[in-house]
Amino acid sequence: MEPGGDLFGTGPQAVSLGAGADGAGFRAAVRRLAAAAVPPERVVWSVGEAPGLFGAPDAATDAPPLALPRGVGDLVARVVPHRDPERYALLYALIWRVLRGERRLLEVSSDPLVHRLERMAKAIARDLHKMHAFLRFRRVEGEGPERFVAWFEPDHHILEAAAPFFVGRFRSLHWTILTPEGSARWDTENLSFGPPGRREDAPASDGFEAGWRDYYESTFNPARTNLAAMRAEMPKKYWRNMPETAAIPGLVRAAAARTDSMIERAPQKAIKRDPVRAVAAMADQAPDSLDALNAIIRRSEPLVPGATQAVLGEGRVGATIAFVGEQPGDQEDRQGRPFVGPAGQLLGRAMAEAGIVRGDAYLTNAVKHFKFEQRGQRRIHQNPTAGEVSHYRWWLERELDFVAPRLVVALGATAVLALAGRAIPVTRARGPAEFGKGYAGFITVHPSYLLRLPDGAKDEAYAAFVADLRRVGELATTLAA
């Protein structure tokens, strides 16, 4: 980028940028023009031309970066690759207005300038999508590492913007992308850009294409042939570079006959299955003891990756009371035992005050694996989603079937969702409940809720929690009698 003319005067200012998408040159030019308060109407933008149409190049040092809303910077990056010769003038006009007080200009979609720039950005997004979808690499025969070359003709200057996509997809391959304006090369470590290429520099075909055409032909559905839709999604300008398109004319010609044949073919009778036998077979495969169920849970991968191990329930089979919490915490995940962290210690203290012996009860969680977010060295607990609770629900139901408690205590909203199958506000339903599973239910808060309360509210909330557990103990005694 080289601005010319009297930058601090009143004459026209010429700015020459490099061919293609010269984002760095445009940013540098905008900083210098804005620092000198040069309005858009005084700037003449040119691409790939010699500078100095209106005077000698300016020798001023680079101006500092501009404080622009993030959306403006994003829009500039998306529009710079456009082929429209007016793109730089339009972008500078936008930046000028934003710097002059219209900080929320991009929110005015009806503004003609904003509307035009957004349409240009969408055109770039479509061109990138087409390149990602329709570019085809072909193997280059020869000695040395296996190499692949592709030819593509984008509508806009998108090569540098598109290349990182192919780096991520084909990171372990040596490849080159040739276009009429430039080339991109990846050697499995470094991405570089070079001069334009020619179509004849890319192989016309390779051995892989025959197999790919066979696959494409085998998956082609003649009954869904829609030529207009095919041309809209896959414009004919890209067909020359795509091996599967060589088969399209023949497939289209044969589509009508193949469809008629499919209609005339006698339908096959559906295979009937005996539901009673199917259910019996499933029952034979189900675990027949709590130990067998726990073995399945141990072998299962976490639904959300990251947990160290599954945390199983703890207590004796036949316990009168079963406590169901939400999911293991950090300490539970490390030790492989339920309710051993701060919330579990608080629960143990409350149970003792309420006269419930922890060793006589059964303790487990609705979700069997720890879900967390890593923040530095800490693993911060994350609430399970309804889908995750549903994923583990069958295990919980089978677990309680084997334990066969008289009373099940739901600690918190997640446990209520798992036991009742629907969300129920804990504060409104606190107390005895019906889960419809053949045992009595009771709803109360999770002890971790008490830990999150401010100091002034903790004592009262803890006393209410202990009172709930006393009612649990009394109800359990009545049920066991």
Side-chain angles (χ1 to χ4, degrees):
M1 180 284 302
E2 297 187 34
D6 182 10
L7 191 59
F8 295 92
T10 59
Q13 305 300 314
V15 179
S16 178
L17 300 177
D22 188 3
F26 175 71
R27 288 191 295 271
V30 168
R31 291 174 185 174
R32 303 173 88 177
L33 292 168
V38 180
E41 59 269 19
R42 286 180 48 206
V43 184
V44 179
W45 300 88
S46 60
V47 177
E49 299 178 4
L53 292 174
F54 296 96
D58 179 76
T61 58
D62 288 340
L66 302 178
L68 294 170
R70 178 180 297 179
V72 174
D74 292 342
L75 184 61
V76 169
R78 288 187 290 146
V79 171
V80 161
H82 203 280
R83 195 174 291 277
D84 191 326
E86 296 184 12
R87 63 191 183 279
Y88 295 120
L90 296 171
L91 288 170
Y92 183 55
L94 175 81
I95 294 170
W96 177 265
R97 289 175 60 182
V98 171
L99 293 175
R100 290 301 180 277
E102 297 182 66
R103 303 291 293 182
R104 306 183 70 172
L105 177 58
L106 290 186
E107 299 178 15
V108 187
S109 57
S110 60
D111 184 275
L113 176 60
V114 174
H115 178 69
R116 183 173 177 183
L117 289 172
E118 287 290 354
R119 290 185 61 186
M120 294 168 71
K122 290 179 180 178
I124 295 299
R126 286 193 298 269
D127 206 25
L128 285 169
H129 169 73
K130 297 272 190 287
M131 188 168 183
H132 294 163
F134 302 142
L135 182 142
R136 296 290 185 268
F137 285 106
R138 294 181 170 97
R139 187 177 183 275
V140 178
E141 299 294 338
E143 299 180 356
E146 193 174 41
R147 293 179 56 248
F148 296 83
V149 176
W151 168 260
F152 195 78
E153 301 173 54
D155 291 334
H156 301 282
H157 311 296
I158 62 169
L159 179 61
E160 292 191 20
F165 169 86
F166 297 101
V167 171
R169 174 159 290 189
F170 306 109
R171 187 174 296 275
S172 62
L173 302 180
H174 292 255
W175 53 257
T176 300
I177 298 174
L178 303 176
T179 78
E181 296 184 352
S183 58
R185 288 177 173 80
W186 172 252
D187 62 4
T188 72
E189 292 184 359
N190 300 297
L191 177 65
S192 59
F193 297 92
R198 303 174 303 166
R199 178 187 295 277
E200 51 267 32
D201 294 333
S205 64
D206 63 10
F208 175 78
E209 291 189 0
W212 171 248
R213 281 196 300 269
D214 289 344
Y215 170 78
Y216 183 81
E217 292 175 3
S218 68
T219 59
F220 183 83
N221 186 346
R224 301 186 65 180
T225 303
N226 186 325
L227 297 181
M230 291 172 66
R231 294 190 188 100
E233 293 299 322
M234 189 191 302
K236 293 192 69 173
K237 66 171 287 187
Y238 302 111
W239 286 27
R240 291 177 296 176
N241 306 321
M242 302 172 64
E244 62 267 35
T245 55
I248 289 179
L251 293 171
V252 170
R253 285 193 298 269
R258 289 180 62 191
T259 302
D260 292 341
S261 175
M262 291 167 60
I263 295 173
E264 293 172 0
R265 192 178 304 135
Q268 295 182 351
K269 190 176 181 179
I271 299 174
K272 290 186 177 181
R273 301 187 184 275
D274 186 344
V276 175
R277 293 179 61 187
V279 171
M282 292 174 61
D284 289 342
Q285 299 173 12
D288 57 4
S289 68
L290 183 58
D291 288 341
L293 175 67
N294 286 339
I296 295 174
I297 297 174
R298 285 193 193 95
R299 293 194 302 266
S300 300
E301 292 291 327
L303 183 60
V304 178
T308 304
Q309 59 188 315
V311 178
L312 307 174
E314 185 174 276
R316 63 182 181 85
V317 172
T320 303
I321 307 173
F323 289 88
V324 178
E326 179 193 77
Q327 69 170 357
D330 179 74
Q331 289 302 312
E332 287 79 6
D333 177 69
R334 297 180 190 278
Q335 299 183 39
R337 297 182 58 203
F339 293 97
V340 294
Q345 294 171 19
L346 184 63
L347 173 63
R349 179 158 65 92
M351 289 172 65
E353 292 186 26
I356 299 174
V357 179
R358 174 167 174 154
D360 291 341
Y362 186 84
L363 286 80
T364 190
N365 283 294
V367 174
K368 306 303 182 185
H369 293 96
F370 179 37
K371 178 183 177 182
F372 63 90
E373 176 184 349
Q374 192 76 44
R375 296 183 189 173
Q377 299 298 317
R378 300 179 61 201
R379 303 192 300 175
I380 306 301
H381 164 275
Q382 297 289 298
N383 292 329
T385 65
E388 291 159 6
V389 173
S390 177
H391 172 82
Y392 289 93
R393 191 181 183 201
W394 182 85
W395 286 349
L396 176 64
E397 291 178 345
R398 296 295 293 140
E399 181 181 16
L400 293 176
D401 286 343
F402 289 125
V403 176
R406 300 291 184 89
L407 176 63
V408 175
V409 181
L411 300 171
T414 298
V416 172
L417 176 62
L419 292 166
R422 66 185 190 280
I424 300 175
V426 172
T427 54
R428 191 176 67 194
R430 195 167 181 171
E434 288 293 336
F435 298 135
K437 302 296 181 182
Y439 45 72
F442 195 97
I443 296 174
T444 186
V445 298
H446 195 283
S448 63
Y449 161 76
L450 306 177
L451 296 175
R452 296 192 298 268
L453 293 175
D455 291 339
K458 280 184 178 179
D459 291 343
E460 182 179 353
Y462 178 75
F465 183 56
V466 172
D468 281 350
L469 297 189
R470 287 199 180 99
R471 294 179 65 193
V472 166
E474 293 168 357
L475 182 57
T477 300
T478 301
L479 293 170

